[in-house]
Amino acid sequence: MKNKIINWLFNDPNGLESLLDNILFVFLCTTVLIKVSVGSWDVLVFIVLASIMSPFVKISKSTKRLIISFGIIYILLTGII
């Protein structure tokens, strides 16, 4: 089992990227839950980013990367976090 995971992560060209996409999706969903409990309108940015990172959305990887990059830059420039 350990050998399969290592092969999937490092030998499959999309393995590590898929793992990072899923981790980012989980963090974005957690951030949405925290921001909703506070009652902040900034949660909309995180909802959009989480919906784009969802594994069920069929968007090309290059478009995902572009939208997520602009979203993170927007978050950093506006000081939402």
Side-chain angles (χ1 to χ4, degrees):
M1 181 70 176
K2 181 179 177 183
N3 192 20
K4 286 184 180 181
I5 293 173
I6 291 172
N7 285 337
W8 176 73
L9 282 176
F10 297 111
N11 293 338
D12 184 20
N14 293 327
L16 187 60
E17 186 176 4
S18 298
L19 178 67
L20 292 176
D21 285 347
N22 291 333
I23 290 171
L24 185 60
F25 176 68
V26 169
F27 282 141
L28 285 169
C29 289
T30 306
T31 306
V32 166
L33 291 175
I34 292 170
K35 289 283 188 176
V36 165
S37 67
V38 174
S40 175
W41 281 95
D42 299 335
V43 73
L44 296 175
V45 175
F46 294 105
I47 289 173
V48 169
L49 291 178
S51 64
I52 290 170
M53 288 305 297
S54 172
F56 308 111
V57 175
K58 301 299 178 192
I59 300 175
S60 67
K61 294 224 182 244
S62 60
T63 307
K64 263 188 191 181
R65 285 186 207 123
L66 184 67
I67 294 171
I68 293 298
S69 298
F70 282 133
I72 291 172
I73 290 170
Y74 174 76
I75 290 169
L76 293 174
L77 290 177
T78 57
I80 291 176
I81 294 180

